Amino acid sequence: MQRNTRKKIAPVVIAVLVVLYIGPMVGMAAYAAGLLGAAGGWGILPFLLLYAAAGGAVIVGVLYAMAQRLREIDGGEEDEAKKY
């Protein structure tokens, strides 16, 4: 049990760091898109929305990969990969 808990620390820490890095950028892009959309800056609005969507997709992907890795650790699959 202790061994599995130690192996779970790295995926969780990395996921938290990525979310803390990407999250504010997504928030700023979405906020700027809202301000520019209200002010009539339609030229850059699609770029900002695309940027916010891409950042959100990165966050979702990282969280999905972390959950998958934690399931692998619980299933004992990390030891099987050492054979190859």
Side-chain angles (χ1 to χ4, degrees):
M1 181 77 176
Q2 176 69 14
R3 190 172 157 170
N4 278 347
T5 303
R6 288 182 53 198
K7 290 181 181 181
K8 290 180 181 182
I9 292 173
V12 171
V13 168
I14 295 302
V16 167
L17 289 176
V18 169
V19 169
L20 288 176
Y21 181 73
I22 300 285
M25 288 190 283
V26 170
M28 287 187 291
Y31 180 72
L35 287 179
L36 291 176
W42 298 106
I44 198 166
L45 184 65
F47 173 74
L48 289 174
L49 292 176
L50 180 67
Y51 187 77
V58 168
I59 290 173
V60 169
V62 166
L63 293 176
Y64 177 76
M66 179 194 67
Q68 183 179 3
R69 180 65 183 140
L70 293 177
R71 281 193 302 271
E72 288 176 1
I73 291 171
D74 285 338
E77 294 179 24
E78 78 280 354
D79 294 330
E80 294 174 11
K82 292 179 183 178
K83 296 178 187 176
Y84 301 105

